[in-house]
Amino acid sequence: MLFSSLLFLCFFFPAVMLLHRVLPARLRNLFLLLASVFFYAWGEIRYVPLIAALALSNWLLGMVMDHSRAGRRRFWLVIALGVDLGALCFYKYADFFLTAVGLRALSPHVSLPLGISFFSFQAMGYLIDVYAGRIKAEKSLTDYATFLLLFPQLIAGPIVNFVEIKEQLKVRTLSADDLETGMMLFIKGLAGKVLLANQLGILWARAGGAGFATLSSPAAWLCIAAFGLQIYFDFAGYSLMAIGMGRMLGFRFPANFDHPYATTSITMFWRHWHMTLSRWFRNYVYIPLGGNRRGTARGIFNMLVVWLLTGLWHGASWNFVLWGLYYFIFLTLERTVLKRWIGRRTFSRYLYTLLVVLLGWVLFAFEDLAMGLAYLERMFSLRMGPDVLYYLRNDFVLLLVSVLACIPPVVRRVTAALSHNAAVRCAAYGGLLILSVACLLGDSYNPFLYFRF
């Protein structure tokens, strides 16, 4: 059940919101837990026992670890992380690893459970925090399972730390201000997903249907830019919808995107793109490995580990491994050779960042490496043709609005203008909601790219 589906918008979420508000406070978490399980079961009922078993095992092992002597805590942490990593590796990576070593005949050939990368990382972060003494283990199974399986962020994040919402699991207010803010965030995310990402996806699909090999060089650059914008508004829109729904239910989820295409270095890009994933790898992999505290060489090695894992997190395929290594190279260069050059905000820095990111999206988009290399060749072949005019003529307004929505000063001015007049604000957000629903009614193209991760 997609957030951007009519079933979710017209029936599921309104019903959840209404019942959540009228129920006594002591029953709200149980209700949200049941609603979240129903939400997951609607999309993939066969894996409900899996997520239930992971939630129960993590809760039990967290409790055992919290009440163990110092010498035994590490043992229980290894067991607990082994459960989560074991499930993640079995369902997501078994086929990839066995194929890589020539043992594909032994592959279990299982499908990927929805959102397993997100809720596994959230579960592991909780366990590591309990082990480190940053939080106490949650005694209530209902509250813990609600934290882990809460439907707004269950299948696509943002990756929430338990400490961020532990107080809200116990007591939360449902104010009119939070309801209004949550609705605005949700509508902005929905509009980004439906009005921009879906339409950009149609452009990219149309180029693929015509044959990427036939593109001129300008069209190849335009189409990969459209793909980059699509994946941004797709995922950032979904994150905004999740954050907005959380706000309407009384939870404060962390931000996940902050205008990454307006940054002036790859280092800054990754501080603004999928921020909760970057934070997770920093806190639970990079820093425990020693960060940059043990010298330059060890810091670079630690970054290599992080970016190999980041690539694999996005998918069990060699193109994602290369995509992670690609960003490791540029981040290492920025930390060493380019350290002084990237410090200032100039047009050349913006251009450099966009160029690196766009080339990276080619690796990301094509699991077939030969096709990806052919697309790169097409981008730099200097082959001219009229096809770029076709895409510009049909999608100029879409591309213009998408680019403007990535520029912070433009977004701030629009937001400020709406904040001063309640009537205009209601009309603007109401109009976006109506347009989004109308678009869903008339368009069957409604994918979500990050479901496969």
Side-chain angles (χ1 to χ4, degrees):
M1 194 188 312
L2 292 170
F3 293 168
S4 53
S5 67
L6 294 174
L7 177 64
F8 183 89
L9 292 171
C10 298
F11 297 100
F12 179 80
F13 189 61
V16 169
M17 274 290 299
L18 177 61
L19 291 172
H20 179 260
R21 284 188 168 263
V22 300
L23 282 171
R26 67 181 185 278
L27 297 178
R28 285 174 179 163
N29 285 352
L30 177 60
F31 168 70
L32 287 179
L33 176 59
L34 294 175
S36 299
V37 172
F38 176 84
F39 172 81
Y40 193 90
W42 189 272
E44 199 141 44
I45 192 169
R46 59 179 165 168
Y47 285 127
V48 168
L50 171 66
I51 65 169
L54 287 174
L56 179 60
S57 64
N58 277 277
W59 175 72
L60 287 171
L61 289 167
M63 290 284 288
V64 170
M65 182 167 52
D66 202 26
H67 291 85
S68 297
R69 303 189 311 272
R72 300 286 291 176
R73 290 170 71 88
R74 179 171 294 183
F75 169 78
W76 288 115
L77 176 65
V78 171
I79 296 296
L81 294 180
V83 171
D84 292 323
L85 286 172
L88 183 62
C89 289
F90 176 78
Y91 285 101
K92 188 169 183 176
Y93 301 110
D95 181 68
F96 173 68
F97 288 137
L98 289 171
T99 300
V101 297
L103 297 174
R104 189 172 185 180
L106 301 178
S107 172
H109 298 294
V110 291
S111 62
L112 184 66
L114 290 175
I116 189 170
S117 297
F118 290 93
F119 62 73
S120 294
F121 270 40
Q122 195 156 296
M124 288 189 287
Y126 165 81
L127 292 166
I128 295 170
D129 285 345
V130 171
Y131 168 78
R134 289 188 283 267
I135 58 173
K136 299 293 291 181
E138 176 54 55
K139 295 179 180 180
S140 167
L141 174 58
T142 298
D143 289 358
Y144 173 76
T146 302
F147 151 73
L148 188 63
L149 306 179
L150 192 59
F151 72 87
Q153 46 81 53
L154 170 59
I155 55 178
I159 301 170
V160 180
N161 290 334
F162 183 75
V163 69
E164 292 173 313
I165 64 168
K166 67 175 184 177
E167 299 301 328
Q168 295 152 34
L169 285 166
K170 303 301 181 184
V171 179
R172 55 185 179 272
T173 57
L174 304 176
S175 68
D177 286 342
D178 282 339
L179 179 62
E180 180 186 7
T181 301
M183 288 178 66
M184 289 191 296
L185 290 171
F186 182 86
I187 292 170
K188 284 170 64 176
L190 179 67
K193 166 74 178 103
V194 174
L195 301 179
L196 298 181
N198 285 2
Q199 310 313 311
L200 290 160
I202 292 172
L203 188 160
W204 174 253
R206 192 164 61 239
F212 290 123
T214 66
L215 292 174
S216 67
S217 294
W221 282 97
L222 180 68
C223 289
I224 199 62
F227 175 81
L229 289 167
Q230 178 200 2
I231 201 168
Y232 169 62
F233 288 110
D234 193 74
F235 193 20
Y238 229 75
S239 293
L240 268 182
M241 284 189 275
I243 294 167
M245 285 187 288
R247 193 70 169 263
M248 286 185 269
L249 295 170
F251 295 97
R252 301 291 183 99
F253 295 156
N256 214 18
F257 289 85
D258 184 16
H259 301 99
Y261 287 134
T263 53
T264 54
S265 69
I266 300 304
T267 301
M268 292 305 297
F269 176 83
W270 279 103
R271 290 177 183 171
H272 291 250
W273 179 283
H274 203 346
M275 294 186 290
T276 57
L277 179 67
S278 299
R279 178 184 68 175
W280 197 97
F281 276 115
R282 182 191 68 228
N283 292 344
Y284 300 118
V285 178
Y286 183 69
I287 291 175
L289 285 174
N292 58 3
R293 301 188 305 274
R294 301 182 184 179
T296 301
R298 180 56 186 268
I300 291 174
F301 172 78
N302 294 341
M303 284 179 59
L304 174 62
V305 172
V306 165
W307 282 96
L308 279 172
L309 293 175
T310 300
L312 281 171
W313 183 90
H314 282 85
S317 177
W318 285 113
N319 69 303
F320 292 115
V321 175
L322 291 176
W323 181 74
L325 290 174
Y326 171 84
Y327 274 109
F328 159 72
I329 291 169
F330 279 98
L331 288 165
T332 302
L333 287 173
E334 289 187 358
R335 178 174 287 194
T336 54
V337 179
L338 301 177
K339 187 174 183 178
R340 293 183 178 179
W341 184 80
I342 64 171
R344 289 167 288 180
R345 290 178 177 268
T346 63
F347 178 76
S348 61
R349 274 69 164 182
Y350 286 114
L351 191 62
Y352 149 77
T353 304
L354 286 174
L355 177 64
V356 172
V357 171
L358 287 179
L359 294 177
W361 286 134
V362 177
L363 282 173
F364 194 94
F366 294 98
E367 291 190 20
D368 185 326
L369 292 175
M371 288 183 63
L373 289 173
Y375 195 93
L376 283 171
E377 185 276 332
R378 180 63 54 184
M379 291 171 69
F380 291 98
S381 67
L382 301 181
R383 174 181 172 178
M384 298 296 109
D387 52 350
V388 68
L389 297 177
Y390 164 78
Y391 291 111
L392 286 174
R393 183 172 62 251
N394 285 278
D395 299 294
F396 177 77
V397 174
L398 169 66
L399 291 166
L400 178 62
V401 172
S402 299
V403 170
L404 291 175
C406 294
I407 302 174
V410 174
V411 176
R412 283 196 293 268
R413 284 195 173 190
V414 172
T415 303
L418 293 177
S419 66
H420 295 312
N421 191 309
V424 173
R425 184 168 63 250
C426 289
Y429 282 100
L432 283 177
L433 180 60
I434 292 169
L435 280 174
S436 299
V437 173
C439 194
L440 288 172
L441 285 169
D443 192 354
S444 60
Y445 187 82
N446 189 28
F448 177 53
L449 300 181
Y450 266 73
F451 269 158
R452 61 179 169 146
F453 307 131

